Amino acid sequence: MKKLQFGMIGGGNGAFIGDVHRHGALMDDLAVLVAGCFSRNREKSLETAEKWNIADTNRIYPDYETMAQAESQREDGIDFVTIATPNDTHYPIAKCFLEHGIHIMCDKPLALTAEQGYELEALAKERDLLFGVSYTYTGYAMTRQAREMIDHGEIGKITCIQGEYPQEWLAVSLVSDHSEQATWRHDPKRSGESGCCADIGTHVECLISRMTGLHPTKVIARFDHIPADVPLETNAMVMCEFDGGVPGMIWTSQVAMGHETELTVRIFGETGSIEWTHLKPWELRVTRINQPPQTYTTNRDYLYPAAKELCRLPSGHIEGFYEAFGNIYHSFCVNLIAKKTGGDPGSFRYPTVSDGVKGIEFVDACLESNRNNNVWVTVGRD
């Protein structure tokens, strides 16, 4: 089959995440970028198209509605669209492209409310369309190795889960001259009711679920506004109960000075434990009961095949953020090609619209718990 064609909404004007999406989608030569609306400003959108070598300027559109309509009517229209815009726009853009029969890869979060998420999930199912959500850290090979080891019973029944994601970027931005991210990420109209928990807490929640197969079923949450005058929380501490009554904790912060992007997940079982950290994403620390800790590394013969097939370089060579994005897109594209050709996608997986819904439900439950003096709240619909 020839390469998939895709378009992008947003992501232009030097935006960080748009270029990451582009690199991820192009990394394995499974897709080519042919269309887009990269900015509300037509000239800037055309500048991005030229920079990204999109030759046909007729496929550079003034808005996403025009793009969805035009591409859905073309015989050679796009196979999927990437949504790389601020949080508040994800829902209307995704709904529009789903209604026009176009598959979707959306930056997280999926939407601002659970009701929006449920609608998108139902619409994707009704139209039989793939819908990926770019929870970046699920793309690292060693997080998949963790899941394979757990599924094969290598640490026994899970007894406790801990996840943390401390960052300092917001604290730093508040004393710098300007930060566009700080401006929109802490505007409730653009980011929703939650700040830190929605922004990075959902990364932890999704990564835990992908590594273990377990989702939070109940939470007790405390949100802190540091400094006090910020409109949304910058620090969130959450006690969780996961499927099967497994206890756990999730801590996220955007004002943790001295920490940059330090996502860590620790999974404890009856016969061992597994730990993965973004500080060394090419490693997995595995400890079996009464044995010395072992360090597993990428692309070694002892890894499970599903983890090895996510490795791009020989062992000892560092793979990072772009490769993780590439793995998510690779998995999405392999599944989409298989859908179009009747083939088999193998063991390739990607975060879906359902994972996006789970993230919103987690945030909503945390918000409710925090509002009600930190009581236990059930996650999801009754």
Side-chain angles (χ1 to χ4, degrees):
M1 179 178 172
K2 66 178 182 179
K3 293 181 183 180
L4 297 170
Q5 295 193 95
F6 77 103
M8 185 182 294
I9 304 298
N13 302 326
F16 161 68
I17 203 63
D19 209 32
V20 173
H21 275 280
R22 183 177 70 94
H23 277 90
L26 301 178
M27 190 171 289
D28 293 318
D29 295 319
L30 296 175
V32 57
L33 180 61
V34 298
C37 173
F38 307 112
S39 170
R40 293 184 178 92
N41 183 302
R42 171 74 175 170
E43 292 305 313
K44 289 183 177 180
S45 197
L46 288 169
E47 288 173 10
T48 299
E50 182 178 6
K51 180 181 178 182
W52 289 351
N53 299 312
I54 301 176
D56 187 354
T57 57
N58 290 322
R59 299 181 80 171
I60 307 304
Y61 299 95
D63 53 67
Y64 70 84
E65 295 99 336
T66 302
M67 178 172 162
Q69 177 71 20
E71 290 294 322
S72 67
Q73 294 181 347
R74 290 179 65 112
E75 188 174 339
D76 63 345
I78 57 173
D79 296 291
F80 71 92
V81 65
T82 290
I83 301 172
T85 56
N87 300 359
D88 59 317
T89 63
H90 292 180
Y91 163 74
I93 296 172
K95 181 180 179 181
C96 178
F97 278 91
L98 288 173
E99 289 174 339
H100 284 85
I102 296 172
H103 304 276
I104 290 174
M105 174 60 76
C106 184
D107 202 49
K108 51 74 57 184
L110 172 65
L112 293 187
T113 69
E115 288 68 27
Q116 291 176 347
Y118 298 143
E119 184 179 354
L120 294 178
E121 184 180 36
L123 190 54
K125 183 177 181 179
E126 174 190 318
R127 302 296 177 94
D128 193 25
L129 296 169
L130 300 191
F131 195 134
V133 182
S134 58
Y135 286 104
T136 316
Y137 308 99
T138 66
Y140 283 100
M142 299 311 281
T143 67
R144 182 61 186 274
Q145 172 69 12
R147 177 61 179 272
E148 294 294 310
M149 295 179 75
I150 290 167
D151 284 353
H152 284 83
E154 293 201 32
I155 63 168
K157 182 181 177 182
I158 295 174
T159 59
C160 184
I161 302 169
Q162 294 180 330
E164 62 181 45
Y165 196 166
Q167 297 179 338
E168 66 175 1
W169 76 268
L170 184 61
V172 172
S173 72
L174 292 174
V175 297
S176 64
D177 292 335
H178 176 70
S179 172
E180 184 176 344
Q181 282 212 35
T183 300
W184 77 258
R185 286 187 185 277
H186 273 263
D187 179 354
K189 292 181 180 179
R190 303 186 72 184
S191 287
E193 293 183 69
S194 172
C196 177
C197 186
D199 190 24
I200 57 178
T202 51
H203 272 303
V204 184
E205 181 273 332
C206 186
L207 182 57
I208 286 173
S209 72
R210 284 274 152 176
M211 290 175 71
T212 66
L214 304 179
H215 296 277
T217 57
K218 294 194 299 185
V219 297
I220 290 180
R222 169 178 168 153
F223 287 180
D224 299 298
H225 294 242
I226 307 170
D229 60 348
V230 292
L232 299 174
E233 88 283 351
T234 56
N235 191 80
M237 292 176 283
V238 185
M239 288 182 61
C240 303
E241 183 175 296
F242 293 87
D243 294 315
V246 175
M249 295 182 289
I250 293 175
W251 167 55
T252 57
S253 179
Q254 295 168 323
V255 290
M257 271 71 82
H259 299 269
E260 293 179 342
T261 309
E262 300 181 19
L263 171 55
T264 300
V265 173
R266 302 178 186 91
I267 304 157
F268 300 91
E270 291 179 336
T271 60
S273 67
I274 290 174
E275 179 176 335
W276 179 86
T277 178
H278 193 246
L279 290 172
K280 293 184 177 181
W282 59 90
E283 292 184 355
L284 196 68
R285 178 185 168 97
V286 180
T287 306
R288 292 172 176 84
I289 191 167
N290 203 29
Q291 294 185 27
Q294 294 179 305
T295 301
Y296 287 50
T297 54
T298 51
N299 215 2
R300 300 296 300 273
D301 290 343
Y302 50 69
L303 299 186
Y304 282 96
K308 279 200 71 177
E309 67 186 1
L310 298 178
C311 300
R312 300 164 179 278
L313 301 174
S315 59
H317 294 76
I318 305 305
E319 299 183 37
F321 192 83
Y322 280 98
E323 288 84 358
F325 246 87
N327 283 337
I328 291 173
Y329 268 97
H330 185 106
S331 299
F332 177 81
C333 289
V334 165
N335 276 268
L336 182 50
I337 291 169
K339 185 177 183 62
K340 287 178 171 289
T341 62
D344 181 1
S347 61
F348 285 103
R349 303 176 187 170
Y350 61 93
T352 69
V353 63
S354 296
D355 292 296
V357 169
K358 291 286 188 183
I360 300 171
E361 290 178 333
F362 169 72
V363 172
D364 284 352
C366 290
L367 282 163
E368 183 179 343
S369 175
N370 182 70
R371 279 194 300 263
N372 291 285
N373 297 314
N374 322 113
V375 297
W376 281 107
V377 173
T378 299
V379 178
R381 291 184 280 195
D382 295 333

